[in-house]
Amino acid sequence: SQQGEEDPQALSIQEGENATMNCSYKTSINNLQWYRQNSGRGLVHLILIRSNEREKHSGRLRVTLDTSKKSSSLLITASRAADTASYFCATQTSGSRLTFGEGTQLTVNP
Amino acid sequence: EAQVTQNPRYLITVTGKKLTVTCSQNMNHEYMSWYRQDPGLGLRQIYYSMNVEVTDKGDVPEGYKVSRKEKRNFPLILESPSPNQTSLYFCASSPDRGRDQYFGPGTRLLVL
């Protein structure tokens, strides 16, 4: 079963709006990572948040982590058409395995 | 340029014909990993390696083998490919296990 599950599966917004994607997981983690994938291409790392952190920012990206609810959110502010991609959360436990969710397909309409 | 390379990028083969997908990274990373990506299933880890001669199974290792004889290379071997191994494969590397991963461009495999 998937450790990380993203919600929603698909999201369509207008340029300039904010996009929020959520990720839930089942077991305790060491860190949670968000990746972006343009169609059929390799994943690109966006942000890593450790289990003792609650919020991180990187440019227009804001990630929160609530370990009590076993959930994380990725917020993209002032979205652009170039943000159109699939976004994946991945959780890493005390071992070395990294488990990905199925992703959220974000479409930003010009 | 720091990168992860995979070869081939596209491959069509027939059931039972052994194949190897190579993966190489030039960042002196210790941790390397293989994933497959299938519609509706996301990315699933096949095998990973924490260092030379250290490999371990991921979530879906059946039908695959790996080796880590050198730090920079982590080939994925399909001894007897089957149609259910048709997928998009990604190699990734990381400085160590608790860090972000750098992904290769992917290898699209079709097994007939």
Side-chain angles (χ1 to χ4, degrees), chain B residues 29-32 49-55 68 70-71:
Chain B
H29 285 171
E30 292 189 351
Y31 183 94
M32 297 186 75
S49 169
M50 291 176 62
N51 215 322
V52 175
E53 302 291 0
V54 181
T55 63
R68 188 91 182 272
E70 306 165 280
K71 199 171 189 178

Side-chain angles (χ1 to χ4, degrees), chain A residues 35 37 45 92 96-97 102, chain B residues 31 37 40 59 97 101:
Chain A
Y35 288 83
Q37 182 183 34
H45 179 261
Q92 191 156 44
S96 298
R97 288 160 68 161
E102 294 179 25
Chain B
Y31 183 94
Q37 184 176 27
D59 296 313
R97 66 181 184 182
Q101 297 196 24

Side-chain angles (χ1 to χ4, degrees), chain B residues 23-26 29 32 52 68 70-74:
Chain B
C23 173
S24 183
Q25 50 92 6
N26 62 1
H29 285 171
M32 297 186 75
V52 175
R68 188 91 182 272
E70 306 165 280
K71 199 171 189 178
R72 63 182 292 129
N73 296 323
F74 190 45

Side-chain angles (χ1 to χ4, degrees), chain B residues 17-30:
Chain B
K17 186 176 180 182
K18 181 179 178 180
L19 67 92
T20 298
V21 184
T22 65
C23 173
S24 183
Q25 50 92 6
N26 62 1
M27 296 169 279
N28 201 37
H29 285 171
E30 292 189 351

Side-chain angles (χ1 to χ4, degrees), chain B residues 59-72:
Chain B
D59 296 313
V60 288
E62 295 77 21
Y64 304 94
K65 285 174 59 177
V66 292
S67 69
R68 188 91 182 272
K69 292 184 170 56
E70 306 165 280
K71 199 171 189 178
R72 63 182 292 129

